Amino acid sequence: MNTNDFKTRTEIIEEQSTCPEGYWVLGLDTGYSSVKGKSPNKRFAFPYYAKKVPEGRAFLREAEDSDIRYRDETGEWVVGKLAYDEVNAKEIVDSEQELTGRHRFFTDIFRVTTRTGIALGLMPNKYGSCEDKHIMIEAGLPPKYINDAVDLREALCGKHDFEVKVGAGNWIKYSIELKENDIQVMPQPLGSLVSASTNANGRQLKTAIQYWSGNVIVFDPGYGTLDTYIVKRGQVIGKGETFPEYGMHEVFARTCRDIEKEFGLSIEVPELQNCLESGEVKVIVSRRPLKTRKYSFKDILEKNCVEVCKEVIERLSSIYNYFVDYDYIIATGGTFEAWKDVFINAFKDVEDLRVIPANINNVSVSTVYSNVNGYYYYLSNMLGRSKTA
């Protein structure tokens, strides 16, 4: 296991996707660990974190491609990887509620990271520009929190004036006004079901008929929550389930607990992000004489990753009658990528049940993007049908 695989990625990948004429669709997922997006000319991801920098602060090193900076009337902020890399870990004092709480839509971090995500989705490249097009956003929420869509829309609506700088590029000004009808919200796991059912052009595949005519559980373990969504014979059953006690945050929390127990180092979950690249923590062994030592926490992380996954399987098996009534589990998300081997192995002897990764139609694109791909194609197809109706 490579601990760096658990580090939230930063990437902007240019690609062309179909979009109804006159529209610029943006699938946007402001997750608890990262912001993911898909627009007609790219897909992107960066860590969900932002830190305000002191006025006049000098950036001494040359900008990296992953560096993202933001500024508005409140001042300048570093965003994503730069916020984690350039701020001393001990300065990360943001409350867990601001980072992973259900009601975070009116916090500074949410405003800055979400506006940054919108900016990345609107940046022009060789595959197109949003100029003179109607901007529409499809977002998502955990199924049990779908009623919070009112707050999410309120946070995204209105006038947004800000600037964003990526890498060594210039500052780009944005002045965007979004109306309530410009923002749609769907249950997150439904995005992955749509993604597994469509091809790279957003067209529904023939195999999708099997999913929609069978009994399906969408399994979406994320950073802050684990979500499920049920479709039986083409009918959505209920609002789905959300389990805030499971996900990668729980894996990290247990890892921090065990690091303190084994090495005597107190470390918080946000600080762990800065250690994932090396897979090591530095511990003061003695102060006189001064002596430090690095310890690998790879085995600790792997143990907790497997344990939480197995607990999840047991919990869901008891809730869903050991899956005897289901034909498919469509699995998605970055946490599933970490759990994939354990999860698939657990169901290898269950007859007539198939575990389908949500990126099955394009395995070159991680399931990290499956929800936003589904958001994008769901709204694009809906707008396309409305234009031809």
Side-chain angles (χ1 to χ4, degrees):
M1 187 192 72
N2 185 352
T3 60
N4 193 43
D5 292 340
F6 288 76
K7 191 174 176 68
T8 306
R9 69 184 67 191
T10 299
E11 58 186 18
I12 302 173
I13 300 171
E14 295 184 352
E15 61 183 13
Q16 190 169 27
S17 299
T18 57
C19 188
E21 185 178 355
Y23 289 98
W24 190 267
V25 171
L26 173 59
L28 186 65
D29 182 2
T30 305
Y32 295 114
S33 69
S34 65
V35 179
K36 283 87 61 180
K38 180 176 176 61
S39 62
N41 65 357
K42 71 175 74 68
R43 70 176 187 271
F44 60 86
F46 61 89
Y48 175 69
Y49 192 64
K51 189 75 176 178
K52 192 174 182 180
V53 297
E55 188 174 350
R57 176 186 174 187
F59 290 83
L60 301 180
R61 67 168 175 80
E62 186 175 342
E64 299 177 2
D65 292 342
S66 60
D67 289 353
I68 303 174
R69 293 160 63 186
Y70 167 101
R71 64 189 183 196
D72 61 14
E73 70 279 0
T74 68
E76 184 172 337
W77 299 69
V78 287
V79 180
K81 182 177 183 294
L82 186 59
Y84 277 117
D85 289 350
E86 294 205 359
V87 178
N88 186 296
K90 295 302 180 186
E91 295 176 355
I92 301 176
V93 294
D94 310 90
S95 72
E96 284 289 287
Q97 284 301 306
E98 188 171 7
L99 289 172
T100 61
R102 173 180 173 182
H103 303 289
R104 60 194 174 116
F105 303 125
F106 302 102
T107 65
D108 288 334
I109 290 178
F110 187 86
R111 183 190 77 253
V112 171
T113 54
T114 301
R115 282 182 172 180
T116 299
I118 292 173
L120 296 186
L122 300 184
M123 283 183 179
N125 61 30
K126 63 183 178 181
Y127 293 122
S129 165
C130 67
E131 188 175 359
D132 297 327
K133 294 183 174 67
H134 186 172
I135 299 167
M136 295 283 292
I137 295 176
E138 183 76 47
L141 286 171
K144 278 289 183 69
Y145 303 163
I146 197 66
N147 289 338
D148 295 345
V150 175
D151 291 338
L152 177 56
R153 285 195 183 93
E154 184 179 344
L156 295 178
C157 283
K159 191 74 177 294
H160 302 277
D161 293 302
F162 61 94
E163 298 176 80
V164 168
K165 173 181 170 66
V166 178
N170 296 322
W171 285 97
I172 300 177
K173 290 184 177 181
Y174 292 87
S175 184
I176 307 161
E177 186 165 8
L178 296 171
K179 297 180 172 58
E180 186 175 350
N181 290 339
D182 297 332
I183 302 158
Q184 308 296 319
V185 184
M186 66 193 298
Q188 284 176 340
L190 181 56
S192 283
L193 181 55
V194 173
S195 184
S197 304
T198 55
N199 62 18
N201 294 318
R203 303 289 185 184
Q204 183 168 301
L205 296 165
K206 292 181 180 179
T207 53
I209 298 173
Q210 300 171 12
Y211 306 148
W212 292 101
S213 61
N215 292 342
V216 178
I217 292 181
V218 182
F219 173 70
D220 183 8
Y223 181 77
T225 64
L226 183 151
D227 305 311
T228 60
Y229 198 73
I230 309 300
V231 176
K232 289 189 173 182
R233 309 299 178 192
Q235 299 294 316
V236 176
I237 306 300
K239 293 182 178 180
E241 295 288 341
T242 294
F243 304 90
E245 67 272 31
Y246 292 123
M248 192 51 65
H249 183 274
E250 178 64 18
V251 173
F252 286 169
R254 295 187 189 188
T255 299
C256 290
R257 177 201 63 196
D258 291 346
I259 286 173
E260 182 172 17
K261 187 183 302 181
E262 187 163 338
F263 306 129
L265 176 68
S266 178
I267 184 171
E268 299 295 330
V269 170
E271 298 175 74
L272 194 66
Q273 280 281 349
N274 287 339
C275 304
L276 290 172
E277 191 168 344
S278 67
E280 296 176 326
V281 290
K282 183 184 286 189
V283 178
I284 300 174
V285 178
S286 69
R287 288 172 171 80
R288 293 179 181 173
L290 182 59
K291 182 179 179 181
T292 63
R293 183 176 175 184
K294 291 180 181 179
Y295 293 98
S296 170
F297 62 89
K298 174 183 174 181
D299 292 343
I300 295 175
L301 178 60
E302 185 170 19
K303 172 184 72 73
N304 285 307
C305 190
V306 171
E307 284 183 358
V308 174
C309 181
K310 288 182 176 179
E311 288 178 25
V312 165
I313 293 168
E314 284 297 319
R315 179 77 179 275
L316 296 185
S317 294
S318 64
I319 291 174
Y320 297 115
N321 192 26
Y322 296 89
F323 302 96
V324 295
D325 298 324
Y326 294 90
D327 305 300
Y328 302 98
I329 299 176
I330 294 180
T332 186
T335 300
F336 170 69
E337 294 284 344
W339 290 352
K340 185 184 296 183
D341 293 341
V342 175
F343 191 84
I344 292 177
N345 185 65
F347 295 99
K348 69 180 189 302
D349 295 324
V350 181
E351 282 191 316
D352 301 323
L353 177 68
R354 291 183 60 196
V355 178
I356 308 291
N359 65 343
I360 189 171
N361 302 320
N362 188 357
V363 295
S364 65
V365 178
S366 167
T367 56
V368 166
Y369 290 103
S370 293
N371 279 340
V372 289
N373 281 346
Y375 300 168
Y376 178 86
Y377 287 124
Y378 178 85
L379 183 54
S380 292
N381 290 335
M382 186 175 68
L383 293 172
R385 288 192 296 270
S386 68
K387 288 180 72 70
T388 58

